[in-house]
Amino acid sequence: MSPESPLATTLDPDAPRKPKPRVFSGIQPTGELHLGNWLGAVRTWRAQIEEGRDDTMFCVVDAHAITVPYEAAELRQKIDAFAIDLIACGIDPEKTTLFVQSDVREHTELAWYLAGVTPYGELGRMTQFKEKGEGKDFVSTGLFTYPVLMSADILLYKATIVPVGEDQIQHLELARETVRRFNHRFGPVFVEPQPRLSTTPRVMGLDGESKMSKSKGNTINLFEPKEEFWQKLRTAFTDPQRLTRTDPGRPELCNIFTMHKAVSDAQTQSEVAENCTGAKWGCVDCKKVLMEGFERELVPLRAKREALSMSHVRQALGDGAEKARRIATETMKEVREVMGLGSLAT
Ligand code: AQP
């Protein structure tokens, strides 16, 4: 390259490299990966990885899963199953850091320390706590402090971008507040994380009453066999005002149209909207086109999932945990130092 090249002045090999922004997000190994998880979060994770601009970290958050009653042997299986499903969805361990939360102990350590700056009253206001605890004989303390652990997950890696579904926005706002409180008291250790929403941040359940949720049994699971997938989609709730085929529909209020936005191209979306509002198509027609869109995306994911070996997945999770631990160790040194904790040099 000649010295006159404009690049010569911008690419100084000795200049300190600015660290890439860090992206972090997680998923609980409860139930099975469903369309809401995929459209609201996991597809965005894949897009972040593919963009290649940021340092990305994704986590199977098993310590969150123990806040509701569970079977230990089943949890182990679910952790493996979720890791496989994530890799099949493009959360490629060659390009990102994929790991299991409890393999990095610092998550729970930091959660305890952050509990010291998290107001009790705020936790009681969390919608998810109210919904999951409502009417239950036993509500664990862990369910109440769940958002503190979530703050720790993010802050441990000083992540600034958190791709989540809309239901997690309230928890993320709390994490931001925790950063402000912590930094005000102990100094500027953490950065405020920002949420990143997909184009479908809230996928409704098959019942049309609440968001699609593993614990509500209103899901279509991503890797259901095609026929079962279709049978569920076929009966899924649509615009409540469309009682007969001749009633004009309102795509903006229909969960099926929300999903079209994620998997159908612009031309198909406008065709669907036009035929729905003009009462030219019935809801099953819209669903058939949607199913085609899902199939286009899901066929390669199913094939990838089939081809994955457990030994490869375990190796990837081990490598991911090691990488995550290195970052976590550094953060915790800093945290213990500013908080005045411990008596030993770390
Ligand atoms: N219905 C949804 N629409 C859009 N995004 C969703 N997410 C979950 N449901 C929807 C997003 O998926 C990511 C992983 O979620 P999670 O499993 O860790 O926790 P969750 O939000 O509590 O999901 P579920 O299915 O409702 O699980 P359970 O019933 O076990 O609590 C998150 O980014 C979430 O926003």
Side-chain angles (χ1 to χ4, degrees), residues 26-28 30 34 36-37 40-41 128 132 164-165 167-168 200-203 211-215:
I27 187 161
Q28 296 188 77
T30 48
H34 57 73
N37 298 139
Q128 185 172 290
K132 286 196 175 169
V164 282
D167 62 317
Q168 295 298 333
T200 43
R202 183 177 170 84
V203 176
K211 72 148 198 150
M212 191 174 280
S213 192
K214 300 179 209 118
S215 51

Side-chain angles (χ1 to χ4, degrees), residues 71-283:
E71 294 297 328
E74 200 184 319
L75 180 59
R76 271 272 157 73
Q77 285 172 1
K78 295 270 178 207
I79 293 169
D80 289 348
F82 267 78
I84 290 177
D85 287 356
L86 290 178
I87 297 175
C89 287
I91 311 308
D92 180 351
E94 302 287 322
K95 300 179 185 163
T96 187
T97 308
L98 176 66
F99 66 105
V100 177
Q101 184 185 30
S102 64
D103 286 337
V104 183
R105 313 269 149 83
E106 285 82 356
H107 285 252
T108 40
E109 183 187 356
L110 182 58
W112 181 253
Y113 299 165
L114 294 181
V117 292
T118 309
Y120 176 88
E122 290 290 326
L123 291 178
R125 275 194 274 280
M126 294 293 124
T127 312
Q128 185 172 290
F129 171 68
K130 289 188 206 157
E131 280 178 5
K132 286 196 175 169
E134 199 178 18
K136 298 280 176 353
D137 291 337
F138 172 77
V139 177
S140 74
T141 307
L143 189 64
F144 184 68
T145 56
Y146 179 113
V148 186
L149 181 57
M150 181 168 153
S151 299
D153 298 337
I154 301 162
L155 303 189
L156 192 54
Y157 304 104
K158 301 190 179 177
T160 50
I161 304 163
V162 186
V164 282
E166 202 179 77
D167 62 317
Q168 295 298 333
I169 292 289
Q170 195 186 26
H171 290 165
L172 205 57
E173 195 44 58
L174 184 71
R176 289 159 57 79
E177 193 185 327
T178 302
V179 169
R180 293 194 287 272
R181 284 179 189 273
F182 187 99
N183 288 357
H184 179 71
R185 197 153 150 207
F186 300 112
V189 174
F190 297 119
V191 234
E192 283 188 39
Q194 304 287 341
R196 182 158 294 172
L197 293 176
S198 76
T199 50
T200 43
R202 183 177 170 84
V203 176
M204 294 299 283
L206 291 174
D207 50 8
E209 280 166 17
S210 48
K211 72 148 198 150
M212 191 174 280
S213 192
K214 300 179 209 118
S215 51
K216 294 214 168 85
N218 61 1
T219 63
I220 300 182
N221 298 330
L222 197 64
F223 290 110
E224 305 222 25
K226 183 181 168 187
E227 191 47 34
E228 283 158 43
F229 190 110
W230 167 243
Q231 286 311 326
K232 287 190 180 172
L233 185 63
R234 200 175 60 81
T235 57
F237 184 88
T238 56
D239 175 2
Q241 224 168 267
R242 243 201 133 180
L243 298 175
T244 66
R245 198 192 159 105
T246 50
D247 295 329
R250 298 168 299 173
E252 68 285 1
L253 296 181
C254 179
N255 197 32
I256 298 302
F257 191 69
T258 303
M259 294 195 248
H260 267 296
K261 283 198 218 153
V263 297
S264 301
D265 59 32
Q267 196 190 328
T268 309
Q269 285 177 43
S270 57
E271 196 185 351
V272 168
E274 198 187 311
N275 285 304
C276 171
T277 47
K280 290 182 225 154
W281 282 3
C283 292

Side-chain angles (χ1 to χ4, degrees), residues 13-26:
D14 298 326
R17 293 237 173 118
K18 209 170 155 226
K20 287 180 171 184
R22 184 163 289 139
V23 174
F24 176 93
S25 198

